Amino acid sequence: MLTVYSDSHRLQHGQAELIDGTLKPCFETPSRADMVLAAVRDRELGDVIHPRRHGLDPILRVHDAGYVRFLETAWRRWTEMGRDYDALPKMWQVRRLREAIPEHVEGQLCYYSMDCGTPVTSGTWQAASAAADTALTGADRLIGGERAVFALTRPPGHHAAFDYCGGYCFLNNAAIAAQALRDHGMRKVAVLDVDYHHGNGTQDIFYRRADVLFLSIHGDPRTEYPFFLGFADEKGEGEGLGYNFNFPLAAGSCVSTWFVALDCALEQIARFGAEALVVSLGVDTFQGDPISRFQLDSPDFVTLGARLAGLKLPTLFCLEGGYAVEPIGTNVVNVLAGFEARG
């Protein structure tokens, strides 16, 4: 399987996030992608190529222009105030506050963020835009006839919505790629999110559309981040009604329960008649993940890959979460190897 990878991911290296009530070193680090790349090469999965640049147009197909401008300029404007440390919001635009977008960068940081765990750094824009190019290059290859491609995207993307960042995500790589597939003639595209945390950003982007089916298997938002989206009754709106499926599972759910949800999701994808599949590949469902609470073990990821291959669809994998750094490479490559073996 072809892998698309950019060294620019290392430019996003946040120093701290607010978690469990304290500032701690970020769980989302460059070592995650480094471990995955090493496993891809050690297992001889296939060629590794660099992404080509696609510019802003494909990004603006799914993200608000004002939000994108903020990401492009935030670090420069932040440092112009004499600040040489990472930027984190200090408040949010919540219920009954005005929705006016502030002019000041600090206010915009609050407006365009959903949490205090996604620091803007000196390299955020370069890393995030390179990740989008990585996903888009993978989509290019699917359009060109490849059966499957792995986009080693970092920073991840599935929590990034139309006009806000969060959950370590700035640009929604999977959504950008799915839209590119649509724009190049694929009538129906499915996005399946298997990360432990609900893909709130992807849901937000496609919630009112019938041409992109979104499905997410994740920890129940009654107890798990991101808390405010991911419930089973969220089915889509308007033309998108019936094209959004959430499978929230209780924290600690066993492997068999997780695979029952996967089978339900795969059935919906087949019924939809998708012409391509984008997989938001989070492996924080692993039993040893430090910030997640499912029970999958490394061999289970091989099974996941094989089940996905059973759909017989051109498939793009975009890396999302997975914070047990030592086994992340094994778990990711197990999915891809399972897919290849079944195919």
Side-chain angles (χ1 to χ4, degrees):
M1 184 184 300
L2 180 70
T3 294
V4 188
Y5 166 83
S6 172
D7 278 328
S8 294
H9 80 86
R10 294 195 183 93
L11 298 174
Q12 173 63 15
H13 194 178
Q15 298 305 299
E17 62 176 298
L18 183 64
I19 189 168
D20 298 333
T22 61
L23 281 173
K24 295 181 179 179
C26 292
F27 281 100
E28 206 292 294
T29 64
S31 61
R32 297 176 59 253
D34 293 340
M35 294 295 284
V36 174
L37 181 64
V40 165
R41 288 176 167 155
D42 289 346
R43 298 270 291 272
E44 298 181 343
L45 188 69
D47 291 338
V48 178
I49 65 170
H50 295 291
R52 73 174 184 88
R53 293 185 177 182
H54 291 72
L56 287 180
D57 287 348
I59 294 172
L60 293 172
R61 293 285 288 140
V62 301
H63 285 295
D64 172 68
Y67 170 62
V68 173
R69 283 195 299 272
F70 161 74
L71 289 178
E72 284 185 287
T73 63
W75 182 253
R76 174 184 58 78
R77 297 163 65 201
W78 181 258
T79 56
E80 283 174 353
M81 296 186 297
R83 301 172 177 181
D84 60 357
Y85 45 85
D86 292 356
L88 286 171
K90 64 181 181 181
M91 67 170 290
W92 291 271
Q93 188 276 321
V94 296
R95 293 172 298 281
R96 292 176 298 282
L97 293 183
R98 292 284 293 273
E99 292 193 20
I101 302 174
E103 294 182 4
H104 196 282
V105 65
E106 190 167 32
Q108 290 185 3
L109 181 65
C110 299
Y111 182 85
Y112 288 122
S113 300
M114 80 169 188
D115 64 20
C116 228
T118 311
V120 174
T121 75
S122 61
T124 293
W125 174 250
Q126 294 92 327
S129 58
D133 282 332
T134 297
L136 286 164
T137 300
D140 291 342
R141 290 303 187 105
L142 284 196
I143 294 161
E146 293 277 355
R147 174 175 170 271
V149 180
F150 172 43
L152 208 173
T153 44
R154 182 185 174 271
H158 71 146
H159 293 305
F162 172 67
D163 58 357
Y164 62 78
C165 61
Y168 314 134
C169 303
F170 300 95
L171 297 174
N172 195 311
N173 307 308
I176 291 167
Q179 182 62 53
L181 293 172
R182 283 285 297 110
D183 289 341
H184 285 83
M186 293 189 177
R187 294 182 305 107
K188 294 182 177 182
V189 177
V191 180
L192 173 63
D193 193 318
V194 297
D195 191 279
Y196 180 79
H197 305 95
H198 178 247
N200 62 283
T202 316
Q203 175 171 306
D204 175 70
I205 289 167
F206 295 121
Y207 202 61
R208 295 163 186 83
R209 291 173 53 172
D211 57 335
V212 179
L213 178 72
F214 177 65
L215 313 96
S216 180
I217 308 166
H218 52 270
D220 193 324
R222 291 178 297 178
T223 63
E224 307 303 303
Y225 180 95
F227 301 113
F228 303 107
L229 278 181
F231 296 89
D233 63 353
E234 295 161 10
K235 298 292 187 180
E237 291 181 353
E239 292 183 1
L241 183 62
Y243 295 94
N244 193 93
F245 290 88
N246 288 322
F247 301 91
L249 304 178
S253 288
C254 65
V255 173
S256 60
T257 297
W258 193 89
F259 275 101
V260 167
L262 176 66
D263 287 343
C264 292
L266 298 182
E267 181 181 342
Q268 292 296 338
I269 293 170
R271 185 177 300 168
F272 175 62
E275 297 178 6
L277 173 65
V278 178
V279 179
S280 276
L281 182 56
V283 293
D284 46 1
T285 50
F286 178 64
Q287 62 182 355
D289 195 273
I291 60 173
S292 306
R293 297 190 285 171
F294 283 165
Q295 300 298 317
L296 275 66
D297 203 352
S298 293
D300 297 314
F301 292 106
V302 180
T303 305
L304 167 58
R307 297 274 183 94
L308 295 172
L311 289 170
K312 303 296 183 184
L313 291 173
T315 301
L316 174 65
F317 296 90
C318 293
L319 183 64
E320 302 288 0
Y323 307 100
V325 175
E326 289 301 319
I328 188 176
T330 296
N331 294 338
V332 168
V333 174
N334 276 1
V335 176
L336 306 178
F339 186 96
E340 292 280 79
R342 175 65 182 273

